[in-house]
Amino acid sequence: PMPRRRSQPNWSRVRLLAMDVDGVLTDGTVLILAAGGEGKSFSILDGHGLRLLERAGVVTAWISGRASEATTRRARELQIPHLFQGRLDKRTVLADLAGRLGLTAADCAYIGDDEIDEPAFISVRRRGGIACRVGHDQKQTHADHLLPAVDEAHAFLRALGNRMGRG
């Protein structure tokens, strides 16, 4: 399923897909373990979509506001080439990465789920890229695509991977 649209972006021109982790790739739950570690629940299904995107030539990046060993392990398992953790300045991280890759914001898509992602949405949209927000609290977003729930984000990543993998 594709997200509800506020515009008609061209997904086929996306060369960098960057996303938040908690609330996009997970349901936002962090398990604090008695032994001192933590855990998160990632979907196998969106992992498949991310691999398909990689095969289609789309670079993937995860930009998270909090550092987590669970995120590091999952990124390593999926061979996500760009992982940034403990970064609240997601707009800056995304712009710097795109520049290093020789891309413009128009070549980028960003998926996030809360207010900390809004500066990245604004920056990407103003320059012709695609911004997608996940979650129920979407009334005041600058994103041009809306996915009401995390499970829809997982389905969207699979569908996008399948669509771009064919092209």
Side-chain angles (χ1 to χ4, degrees):
M2 289 291 148
R4 291 183 306 197
R5 299 174 187 170
R6 293 183 176 178
S7 64
Q8 280 289 59
N10 181 359
W11 286 95
S12 65
R13 65 184 258 177
V14 172
R15 295 294 161 248
L16 171 60
L17 176 62
M19 64 201 77
D20 185 14
V21 176
D22 299 319
V24 174
L25 296 169
T26 75
D27 67 2
T29 301
V30 176
L31 304 171
I32 306 299
L33 306 175
E38 69 176 40
K40 296 180 184 187
S41 178
F42 290 90
S43 171
I44 295 298
L45 300 175
D46 61 357
H48 178 66
L50 291 169
R51 296 307 297 253
L52 291 172
L53 286 166
E54 175 192 342
R55 287 187 204 135
V58 177
V59 176
T60 54
W62 291 359
I63 308 170
S64 181
R66 63 185 305 277
S68 164
E69 181 57 34
T71 298
T72 301
R73 287 186 60 200
R74 182 65 172 151
R76 189 177 314 126
E77 182 178 276
L78 292 177
Q79 300 174 353
I80 301 298
H82 304 282
L83 173 62
F84 305 91
Q85 297 191 76
R87 298 295 299 269
L88 301 178
D89 56 338
K90 297 177 182 189
R91 180 193 62 78
T92 302
V93 173
L94 180 56
D96 290 348
L97 177 59
R100 285 199 322 265
L101 295 172
L103 303 172
T104 68
D107 301 314
C108 299
Y110 182 77
I111 304 174
D113 72 313
D114 61 32
E115 289 152 19
I116 195 171
D117 299 302
E118 288 296 327
F121 294 154
I122 293 167
S123 179
V124 167
R125 277 194 72 197
R126 282 187 182 158
R127 292 168 179 82
I130 301 169
C132 184
R133 179 149 179 178
V134 177
H136 298 291
D137 183 23
Q138 301 173 345
K139 289 184 172 73
Q140 299 299 320
T141 188
H142 291 91
D144 52 344
H145 277 29
L146 308 172
L147 290 162
V150 169
D151 59 338
E152 291 186 43
H154 300 297
F156 169 68
L157 288 171
R158 283 193 320 275
L160 186 60
N162 282 324
R163 175 189 286 182
M164 294 183 80
R166 285 190 217 121

